[in-house]
Amino acid sequence: MHRIERVSELLKEEISRIIQFDVKDPKVKDVVITSIEVTRDLSQAKVYFTSYNKENLKYIHRGLMSSAGFIRHQLQKAVHLKKAPSKIIFFIDDSANYGSRIDEVLREIIKEDDERDS
């Protein structure tokens, strides 16, 4: 595994832990971190998340963005890296919705093919 991938995995685990146990904002408690993209110089981390509470994702996103400074500070204390990300940006991960839509389209195509062959 490459260094950036190892660092991304470490950050994913630590940010998840910080959100679950250290962030006091109740609106961000049911967040699931799906992936993290870290720049080569480790200056920035793009954190992708989702939640079981799909209808409040924008509300949760605002809560995470307002907690980003606290999360970054806690992260710098928790991880032992020469350089921890100085900027953390949160993004709603809609890949599950995208995957569901692809499945739906494929089912429609198969159904149309079956109807045409009958």
Side-chain angles (χ1 to χ4, degrees), residues 36-58:
I36 296 184
E37 293 177 5
V38 181
T39 56
R40 279 193 172 313
D41 64 356
L42 301 180
S43 64
Q44 182 175 322
K46 293 180 181 179
V47 180
Y48 294 88
F49 74 93
T50 191
S51 174
Y52 303 110
N53 191 354
K54 300 285 186 204
E55 40 303 324
N56 290 331
L57 281 173
K58 290 183 181 178

Side-chain angles (χ1 to χ4, degrees), residues 3-49:
R3 181 175 185 270
I4 294 295
E5 292 168 340
R6 287 193 314 264
V7 169
S8 293
E9 192 58 35
L10 171 66
L11 295 179
K12 180 180 174 185
E13 290 172 13
E14 283 301 317
I15 290 173
S16 295
R17 187 195 58 73
I18 291 167
I19 290 171
Q20 185 176 10
F21 297 111
D22 299 336
V23 174
K24 301 293 184 225
D25 190 345
K27 66 184 163 224
V28 303
K29 291 299 181 185
D30 59 348
V31 167
V32 176
I33 304 299
T34 55
S35 66
I36 296 184
E37 293 177 5
V38 181
T39 56
R40 279 193 172 313
D41 64 356
L42 301 180
S43 64
Q44 182 175 322
K46 293 180 181 179
V47 180
Y48 294 88
F49 74 93

